[in-house]
Amino acid sequence: MKPALRFIRIVPYDILCEANGKKGAAWKMDCKEAILLMHDELDGELDRAGAIELKRHMLACPACRERYAKLEKVGAYLRSLKPVAAPPHLTTAAIMQKLPAPAKRAAWVKWPRRHPAATVAVVFLVVMLGSFLSMWNQNNQLALQGDLDHVVIEGRTVIVPEGETVRGNLVVENGEVQVNGKIDGNLVVIDGNYALASTAQISGSITSVNQAVEWLWYKMNQLISYVAK
């Protein structure tokens, strides 16, 4: 069987040059430019001047003529195909039912969005608790609060001498307390120990704080008492 013959209309050279704006001068197109124009020509988007340039190039280029012929065949084949109807069971509802269900978020993930104010308060408390615990671990210096005119400090030991009276509360942090005299108030020992002699007199209560939680509770009570005043 003989191959089918293809006829390409020959455009006069003068028309080609005039279309290109180079009357009386030679004009050349490379294969890359021709391939781009082929697709425009097959889509019906190429203007008259471009069509003339493309045809002139294909007259002189067998490879581009062959490429163009193949593209024409592919286009004709695609146009000849009939639309394929989707199967009856392949509906939008059926497809949506087969899709995986969205992952459910844990309740604790949804809670912050529903209670933003409470979330901020919780974060604030956590940060404050972390700060207090950090202070508890890092602060190991001796600290005193109260009437210090009637106490003697020897290293990390705070002594209330016999015959002396401390007016008000005496608070000692990170130290030892030896009470030989009188305290007219409360004695608070934080992260330390205390000893009472037989001559010791304390009119108030004795509070010993040796755990971080107890220390935090004590500090909060101090803050509440200060605000109340």
PDB file of all heavy atoms in Angstrom, residues 58-76:
ATOM      1  N   MET A  58       9.039  24.627   6.776  1.00  0.00           N
ATOM      2  CA  MET A  58       8.790  23.206   6.564  1.00  0.00           C
ATOM      3  C   MET A  58       9.106  22.778   5.139  1.00  0.00           C
ATOM      4  O   MET A  58       9.411  21.616   4.881  1.00  0.00           O
ATOM      5  CB  MET A  58       7.336  22.876   6.914  1.00  0.00           C
ATOM      6  CG  MET A  58       7.058  22.929   8.420  1.00  0.00           C
ATOM      7  SD  MET A  58       5.478  22.191   8.884  1.00  0.00           S
ATOM      8  CE  MET A  58       4.341  23.285   8.044  1.00  0.00           C
ATOM      9  N   LEU A  59       9.032  23.697   4.158  1.00  0.00           N
ATOM     10  CA  LEU A  59       9.425  23.365   2.790  1.00  0.00           C
ATOM     11  C   LEU A  59      10.895  22.979   2.715  1.00  0.00           C
ATOM     12  O   LEU A  59      11.284  22.126   1.916  1.00  0.00           O
ATOM     13  CB  LEU A  59       9.141  24.547   1.863  1.00  0.00           C
ATOM     14  CG  LEU A  59       7.678  24.795   1.490  1.00  0.00           C
ATOM     15  CD1 LEU A  59       7.540  26.065   0.692  1.00  0.00           C
ATOM     16  CD2 LEU A  59       7.119  23.612   0.708  1.00  0.00           C
ATOM     17  N   ALA A  60      11.687  23.597   3.588  1.00  0.00           N
ATOM     18  CA  ALA A  60      13.127  23.346   3.548  1.00  0.00           C
ATOM     19  C   ALA A  60      13.598  22.383   4.631  1.00  0.00           C
ATOM     20  O   ALA A  60      14.782  22.037   4.662  1.00  0.00           O
ATOM     21  CB  ALA A  60      13.880  24.672   3.679  1.00  0.00           C
ATOM     22  N   CYS A  61      12.700  21.936   5.548  1.00  0.00           N
ATOM     23  CA  CYS A  61      13.122  21.097   6.676  1.00  0.00           C
ATOM     24  C   CYS A  61      12.271  19.827   6.711  1.00  0.00           C
ATOM     25  O   CYS A  61      11.125  19.857   7.192  1.00  0.00           O
ATOM     26  CB  CYS A  61      12.979  21.872   7.978  1.00  0.00           C
ATOM     27  SG  CYS A  61      13.517  20.926   9.434  1.00  0.00           S
ATOM     28  N   PRO A  62      12.786  18.688   6.272  1.00  0.00           N
ATOM     29  CA  PRO A  62      12.022  17.435   6.299  1.00  0.00           C
ATOM     30  C   PRO A  62      11.656  17.002   7.715  1.00  0.00           C
ATOM     31  O   PRO A  62      10.579  16.437   7.932  1.00  0.00           O
ATOM     32  CB  PRO A  62      12.979  16.438   5.636  1.00  0.00           C
ATOM     33  CG  PRO A  62      13.933  17.271   4.842  1.00  0.00           C
ATOM     34  CD  PRO A  62      14.094  18.549   5.584  1.00  0.00           C
ATOM     35  N   ALA A  63      12.547  17.220   8.687  1.00  0.00           N
ATOM     36  CA  ALA A  63      12.266  16.798  10.058  1.00  0.00           C
ATOM     37  C   ALA A  63      11.049  17.527  10.613  1.00  0.00           C
ATOM     38  O   ALA A  63      10.193  16.924  11.283  1.00  0.00           O
ATOM     39  CB  ALA A  63      13.490  17.052  10.936  1.00  0.00           C
ATOM     40  N   CYS A  64      10.945  18.812  10.359  1.00  0.00           N
ATOM     41  CA  CYS A  64       9.793  19.576  10.853  1.00  0.00           C
ATOM     42  C   CYS A  64       8.516  19.178  10.113  1.00  0.00           C
ATOM     43  O   CYS A  64       7.433  19.180  10.702  1.00  0.00           O
ATOM     44  CB  CYS A  64      10.056  21.074  10.705  1.00  0.00           C
ATOM     45  SG  CYS A  64      11.225  21.708  11.940  1.00  0.00           S
ATOM     46  N   ARG A  65       8.617  18.836   8.805  1.00  0.00           N
ATOM     47  CA  ARG A  65       7.441  18.370   8.088  1.00  0.00           C
ATOM     48  C   ARG A  65       6.919  17.072   8.705  1.00  0.00           C
ATOM     49  O   ARG A  65       5.719  16.884   8.883  1.00  0.00           O
ATOM     50  CB  ARG A  65       7.778  18.153   6.597  1.00  0.00           C
ATOM     51  CG  ARG A  65       7.930  19.421   5.800  1.00  0.00           C
ATOM     52  CD  ARG A  65       7.735  19.159   4.323  1.00  0.00           C
ATOM     53  NE  ARG A  65       8.642  18.132   3.803  1.00  0.00           N
ATOM     54  CZ  ARG A  65       9.864  18.368   3.324  1.00  0.00           C
ATOM     55  NH1 ARG A  65      10.321  19.614   3.305  1.00  0.00           N
ATOM     56  NH2 ARG A  65      10.612  17.393   2.859  1.00  0.00           N
ATOM     57  N   GLU A  66       7.847  16.180   9.042  1.00  0.00           N
ATOM     58  CA  GLU A  66       7.448  14.911   9.646  1.00  0.00           C
ATOM     59  C   GLU A  66       6.832  15.126  11.023  1.00  0.00           C
ATOM     60  O   GLU A  66       5.818  14.514  11.382  1.00  0.00           O
ATOM     61  CB  GLU A  66       8.665  13.995   9.755  1.00  0.00           C
ATOM     62  CG  GLU A  66       8.340  12.623  10.321  1.00  0.00           C
ATOM     63  CD  GLU A  66       9.560  11.725  10.393  1.00  0.00           C
ATOM     64  OE1 GLU A  66      10.655  12.179   9.990  1.00  0.00           O
ATOM     65  OE2 GLU A  66       9.421  10.584  10.878  1.00  0.00           O
ATOM     66  N   ARG A  67       7.429  16.016  11.821  1.00  0.00           N
ATOM     67  CA  ARG A  67       6.880  16.314  13.144  1.00  0.00           C
ATOM     68  C   ARG A  67       5.474  16.892  13.033  1.00  0.00           C
ATOM     69  O   ARG A  67       4.569  16.522  13.784  1.00  0.00           O
ATOM     70  CB  ARG A  67       7.800  17.285  13.882  1.00  0.00           C
ATOM     71  CG  ARG A  67       7.307  17.664  15.276  1.00  0.00           C
ATOM     72  CD  ARG A  67       8.202  18.730  15.883  1.00  0.00           C
ATOM     73  NE  ARG A  67       9.510  18.187  16.172  1.00  0.00           N
ATOM     74  CZ  ARG A  67       9.847  17.593  17.323  1.00  0.00           C
ATOM     75  NH1 ARG A  67       8.935  17.449  18.269  1.00  0.00           N
ATOM     76  NH2 ARG A  67      11.055  17.149  17.506  1.00  0.00           N
ATOM     77  N   TYR A  68       5.293  17.815  12.079  1.00  0.00           N
ATOM     78  CA  TYR A  68       3.990  18.446  11.913  1.00  0.00           C
ATOM     79  C   TYR A  68       2.940  17.416  11.497  1.00  0.00           C
ATOM     80  O   TYR A  68       1.795  17.451  11.964  1.00  0.00           O
ATOM     81  CB  TYR A  68       4.092  19.570  10.871  1.00  0.00           C
ATOM     82  CG  TYR A  68       2.833  20.385  10.743  1.00  0.00           C
ATOM     83  CD1 TYR A  68       2.550  21.402  11.641  1.00  0.00           C
ATOM     84  CD2 TYR A  68       1.930  20.142   9.709  1.00  0.00           C
ATOM     85  CE1 TYR A  68       1.398  22.159  11.524  1.00  0.00           C
ATOM     86  CE2 TYR A  68       0.770  20.891   9.581  1.00  0.00           C
ATOM     87  CZ  TYR A  68       0.506  21.896  10.503  1.00  0.00           C
ATOM     88  OH  TYR A  68      -0.651  22.646  10.391  1.00  0.00           O
ATOM     89  N   ALA A  69       3.335  16.483  10.609  1.00  0.00           N
ATOM     90  CA  ALA A  69       2.396  15.457  10.171  1.00  0.00           C
ATOM     91  C   ALA A  69       1.976  14.571  11.344  1.00  0.00           C
ATOM     92  O   ALA A  69       0.797  14.201  11.469  1.00  0.00           O
ATOM     93  CB  ALA A  69       3.030  14.615   9.057  1.00  0.00           C
ATOM     94  N   LYS A  70       2.909  14.214  12.224  1.00  0.00           N
ATOM     95  CA  LYS A  70       2.576  13.394  13.384  1.00  0.00           C
ATOM     96  C   LYS A  70       1.648  14.133  14.334  1.00  0.00           C
ATOM     97  O   LYS A  70       0.700  13.548  14.879  1.00  0.00           O
ATOM     98  CB  LYS A  70       3.855  12.975  14.105  1.00  0.00           C
ATOM     99  CG  LYS A  70       4.709  11.979  13.322  1.00  0.00           C
ATOM    100  CD  LYS A  70       5.950  11.605  14.106  1.00  0.00           C
ATOM    101  CE  LYS A  70       6.804  10.597  13.345  1.00  0.00           C
ATOM    102  NZ  LYS A  70       8.034  10.236  14.096  1.00  0.00           N
ATOM    103  N   LEU A  71       1.919  15.416  14.521  1.00  0.00           N
ATOM    104  CA  LEU A  71       1.052  16.206  15.396  1.00  0.00           C
ATOM    105  C   LEU A  71      -0.359  16.305  14.834  1.00  0.00           C
ATOM    106  O   LEU A  71      -1.348  16.267  15.577  1.00  0.00           O
ATOM    107  CB  LEU A  71       1.650  17.608  15.599  1.00  0.00           C
ATOM    108  CG  LEU A  71       2.931  17.686  16.430  1.00  0.00           C
ATOM    109  CD1 LEU A  71       3.463  19.113  16.444  1.00  0.00           C
ATOM    110  CD2 LEU A  71       2.694  17.204  17.856  1.00  0.00           C
ATOM    111  N   GLU A  72      -0.460  16.414  13.528  1.00  0.00           N
ATOM    112  CA  GLU A  72      -1.786  16.459  12.912  1.00  0.00           C
ATOM    113  C   GLU A  72      -2.536  15.148  13.131  1.00  0.00           C
ATOM    114  O   GLU A  72      -3.745  15.143  13.404  1.00  0.00           O
ATOM    115  CB  GLU A  72      -1.644  16.726  11.410  1.00  0.00           C
ATOM    116  CG  GLU A  72      -1.565  18.196  11.059  1.00  0.00           C
ATOM    117  CD  GLU A  72      -1.653  18.423   9.564  1.00  0.00           C
ATOM    118  OE1 GLU A  72      -1.094  17.617   8.799  1.00  0.00           O
ATOM    119  OE2 GLU A  72      -2.287  19.429   9.161  1.00  0.00           O
ATOM    120  N   LYS A  73      -1.829  14.022  12.986  1.00  0.00           N
ATOM    121  CA  LYS A  73      -2.467  12.722  13.184  1.00  0.00           C
ATOM    122  C   LYS A  73      -2.948  12.555  14.618  1.00  0.00           C
ATOM    123  O   LYS A  73      -4.051  12.047  14.869  1.00  0.00           O
ATOM    124  CB  LYS A  73      -1.491  11.606  12.826  1.00  0.00           C
ATOM    125  CG  LYS A  73      -1.198  11.505  11.336  1.00  0.00           C
ATOM    126  CD  LYS A  73      -0.242  10.341  11.057  1.00  0.00           C
ATOM    127  CE  LYS A  73       0.055  10.218   9.572  1.00  0.00           C
ATOM    128  NZ  LYS A  73       1.003   9.111   9.293  1.00  0.00           N
ATOM    129  N   VAL A  74      -2.103  12.968  15.572  1.00  0.00           N
ATOM    130  CA  VAL A  74      -2.497  12.854  16.972  1.00  0.00           C
ATOM    131  C   VAL A  74      -3.726  13.703  17.253  1.00  0.00           C
ATOM    132  O   VAL A  74      -4.679  13.272  17.937  1.00  0.00           O
ATOM    133  CB  VAL A  74      -1.336  13.256  17.899  1.00  0.00           C
ATOM    134  CG1 VAL A  74      -1.795  13.321  19.356  1.00  0.00           C
ATOM    135  CG2 VAL A  74      -0.183  12.273  17.765  1.00  0.00           C
ATOM    136  N   GLY A  75      -3.740  14.927  16.738  1.00  0.00           N
ATOM    137  CA  GLY A  75      -4.891  15.792  16.937  1.00  0.00           C
ATOM    138  C   GLY A  75      -6.156  15.219  16.330  1.00  0.00           C
ATOM    139  O   GLY A  75      -7.241  15.272  16.927  1.00  0.00           O
ATOM    140  N   ALA A  76      -6.027  14.656  15.113  1.00  0.00           N
ATOM    141  CA  ALA A  76      -7.196  14.060  14.463  1.00  0.00           C
ATOM    142  C   ALA A  76      -7.707  12.859  15.245  1.00  0.00           C
ATOM    143  O   ALA A  76      -8.927  12.644  15.376  1.00  0.00           O
ATOM    144  CB  ALA A  76      -6.837  13.669  13.032  1.00  0.00           C
TER     145      ALA A  76
END
